[in-house]
Amino acid sequence: MKHHGRATISYNGKRLRTKEGATLNLGGTGRTAEPLDDGSVGYFEATTAPELSCTVPLTQDLAVQELRDLVDANVVFESDTGQSWVIREAFTTNTISVGRDVAITISGQPAEQL
């Protein structure tokens, strides 16, 4: 059985040439345990934002300003296992520092499996 090894990430149909190690937290409903004085444990729910993190090499053709200003995008995370997710209304959450590599963090609506 094949395990995840590589991810392909694209935004608005443009592919990012990412380095190994991209991750996606799907977001959605998160639960927090709430211990009670009678020894039982309940929970409460809250919406958690998705978070896609990736690193791309700084190249001549990398649209750094476009990535910095990214809002209202459709971002797709495709695993080499054949599974894919989309983050709609996505936006870049971090300020971008340039160097040898560029780290990018994206959030938006909870990820939906395609």
Side-chain angles (χ1 to χ4, degrees):
M1 176 179 285
K2 184 172 185 168
H3 294 206
H4 174 79
R6 293 180 294 189
T8 301
I9 298 170
S10 59
Y11 66 98
N12 295 338
K14 299 175 187 176
R15 183 175 175 179
L16 276 175
R17 296 175 59 208
T18 61
K19 291 185 143 189
E20 185 178 334
T23 61
L24 172 62
N25 175 326
L26 300 176
T29 303
R31 292 170 195 83
T32 301
E34 189 168 51
L36 303 173
D37 65 356
D38 66 357
S40 65
V41 178
Y43 63 90
F44 63 90
E45 297 180 333
T47 300
T48 303
E51 184 174 276
L52 186 154
S53 298
C54 64
T55 303
V56 296
L58 180 60
T59 61
Q60 252 182 339
D61 61 343
L62 182 64
V64 176
Q65 186 166 331
E66 184 175 273
L67 290 168
R68 181 192 69 186
D69 298 338
L70 187 70
V71 293
D72 201 27
N74 286 324
V75 176
V76 177
F77 180 100
E78 297 176 73
S79 171
D80 60 354
T81 63
Q83 295 178 302
S84 299
W85 294 267
V86 62
I87 300 174
R88 300 184 196 288
E89 299 175 29
F91 50 89
T92 308
T93 63
N94 61 320
T95 57
I96 294 180
S97 298
V98 295
R100 180 182 183 120
D101 295 324
V102 178
I104 300 168
T105 306
I106 294 171
S107 191
Q109 299 305 311
E112 300 171 2
Q113 191 161 14
L114 297 175

